[in-house]
Amino acid sequence: MLADTYLREASNRCSFYREGQCEGLNKRSEQQIWLSRFFFFNQSLSPSEWAPATTEKPMDCSALAPYFKHYDTLVSDWLSGKASHYMPEPWWGWSCNGKPLHAVVINLNPGEGGELQSRRCISSAFGSDFHYRETMANGTLAAHLPDTTRWHRNKRELPILKAMSVVEGKYRDKTVTLSENTLCIEAYPFHSKTFKDSQAKEYWLENPDANFWKFISFAAVASRLVDGALNSIVLIRISWSRWVKLTKELRPHIEIKREIPDSGQSADRKRGRAVEFSFTDRHEVFQGVRFMCVWSGGGRNNFPSDLKDIFLQSEIIN
């Protein structure tokens, strides 16, 4: 079996053990995460408790094929020696592998990398014929990088599902399950301890169509496949002021549709804020898609705790 082979092959290379125990090479506070055939156990929250009922139907992912191929090439080029030391993570989570898609989110970048994301460890674990989407779809990449999986699950997927009233009951920060129903796309796919605007802009300007417009259009196209109220909506977990500063080129092409709170309301720095915009004169790929920057003053890289209120005010839910 694929999982058995992976654990056996990687056991002596990247701190994976045959019985399923995984610990990062840069182990943090004796943390241990137990894996069983690449499904993370969580005794308090099972998939049936958070996943909404859906009607099984074939999903046409043909429109996403060029994007998956593009980012597969980006990671393959990195593995052959190009770009940064750590593996770029252009997107994470949902891979159009039969699971329902609940939300699409744009992040700034993957943050600081670790040894498990180094060329040495990735090539040892997956070999030279490494396909990013394939390993995401079959669960092996999520198993190899459990901290990344946990981060996306706890910082992105669960807060959105909770705000949509899909998840009910108690939530624990240490919940660990596969994050495979939310697609997170990175504006700048390379790891960095501190995000630098100049680095991202330089990368985008190298090839605007491939490096800049690509991630935005990827999000727009994927959002149309969302099953639920967030269909054709792209959440951007970046403050509006930061987004405007980073993407000045977009201003002639967009129209602000809504601000939360609006200009007549006093803004509490700790409460969530949002700006919704849409494209006016760009490619048809953006037509009918709502983009929404969501943030709070004290939220760091988290979604605001009152995300549900933002969804209500923006009429995403009622």
Side-chain angles (χ1 to χ4, degrees), residues 235-249:
L235 301 175
I236 304 174
R237 183 42 203 95
I238 303 171
S239 72
W240 177 245
S241 60
R242 187 76 178 272
W243 179 256
V244 168
K245 182 181 176 182
L246 279 169
T247 62
K248 290 180 180 179
E249 296 82 358

Side-chain angles (χ1 to χ4, degrees), residues 64 181 200 204:
L64 292 178
N181 296 95
W204 292 340

Side-chain angles (χ1 to χ4, degrees), residues 25-301:
L25 295 181
N26 53 345
K27 185 170 63 173
R28 303 173 188 171
S29 65
E30 299 302 320
Q31 178 186 53
Q32 293 181 334
I33 301 160
W34 290 88
L35 310 177
S36 177
R37 305 187 69 81
F38 304 108
F39 287 94
F40 298 118
F41 283 148
N42 169 35
Q43 296 179 353
S44 64
L45 188 64
S46 67
S48 62
E49 290 178 270
W50 60 260
T54 58
T55 302
E56 290 296 331
K57 58 182 179 180
M59 184 177 289
D60 182 5
C61 296
S62 57
L64 292 178
Y67 300 98
F68 286 134
K69 182 178 180 180
H70 171 78
Y71 291 121
D72 270 7
T73 300
L74 173 71
V75 178
S76 294
D77 287 347
W78 164 81
L79 194 60
S80 66
K82 295 182 181 179
S84 64
H85 175 64
Y86 297 123
M87 180 188 72
E89 291 172 18
W91 59 274
W92 191 271
W94 181 83
S95 57
C96 206
N97 63 344
K99 305 291 184 181
L101 175 61
H102 299 154
V104 176
V105 181
I106 291 177
N107 298 317
L108 265 177
N109 81 317
E112 187 176 6
E115 187 59 29
L116 286 172
Q117 292 142 325
S118 68
R119 282 192 187 88
R120 181 191 69 80
C121 203
I122 292 294
S123 60
S124 294
F126 299 100
S128 57
D129 189 26
F130 173 54
H131 298 281
Y132 189 83
R133 183 200 174 188
E134 180 182 318
T135 57
M136 190 73 75
N138 64 29
T140 53
L141 189 58
H144 181 70
L145 299 173
D147 283 351
T148 302
T149 297
R150 183 195 296 100
W151 188 95
H152 282 280
R153 178 68 173 153
N154 289 342
K155 300 286 189 178
R156 295 295 180 260
E157 190 161 78
L158 278 177
I160 292 171
L161 292 173
K162 182 179 179 181
M164 300 292 290
S165 296
V166 174
V167 182
E168 296 184 5
K170 252 183 180 180
Y171 306 94
R172 297 189 306 172
D173 291 339
K174 294 182 179 180
T175 299
V176 182
T177 51
L178 284 175
S179 176
E180 56 184 354
N181 296 95
T182 299
L183 174 62
C184 291
I185 299 168
E186 305 295 335
Y188 180 66
F190 302 102
H191 290 273
S192 62
K193 186 173 183 179
T194 303
F195 182 83
K196 296 179 180 178
D197 293 6
S198 58
Q199 258 184 331
K201 288 182 177 181
E202 182 181 352
Y203 170 70
W204 292 340
L205 289 173
E206 280 179 12
N207 189 336
D209 285 339
N211 299 346
F212 181 70
W213 289 107
K214 185 70 74 175
F215 80 83
I216 301 175
S217 59
F218 181 26
V221 173
S223 73
R224 292 193 175 94
L225 297 176
V226 168
D227 180 14
L230 290 173
N231 180 273
S232 298
I233 295 174
V234 175
L235 301 175
I236 304 174
R237 183 42 203 95
I238 303 171
S239 72
W240 177 245
S241 60
R242 187 76 178 272
W243 179 256
V244 168
K245 182 181 176 182
L246 279 169
T247 62
K248 290 180 180 179
E249 296 82 358
L250 289 182
R251 291 314 300 273
H253 305 289
I254 66 173
E255 177 184 0
I256 295 177
K257 296 291 187 179
R258 189 194 316 260
E259 296 183 58
I260 300 173
D262 62 34
S263 55
Q265 295 176 284
S266 60
D268 182 343
R269 185 176 180 274
K270 292 184 179 181
R271 292 188 65 79
R273 305 186 66 181
V275 173
E276 180 185 327
F277 65 93
S278 62
F279 284 83
T280 56
D281 62 351
R282 193 64 188 178
H283 193 275
E284 63 181 10
V285 73
F286 299 112
Q287 292 181 8
V289 176
R290 301 161 63 185
F291 291 81
M292 184 179 292
C293 287
V294 182
W295 77 101
S296 64
R300 301 187 67 180
N301 203 11

Side-chain angles (χ1 to χ4, degrees), residues 8-21:
R8 183 173 60 253
E9 300 262 335
S11 62
N12 295 320
R13 300 186 180 102
C14 295
S15 295
F16 276 78
Y17 301 95
R18 298 186 186 189
E19 67 268 28
Q21 181 181 0

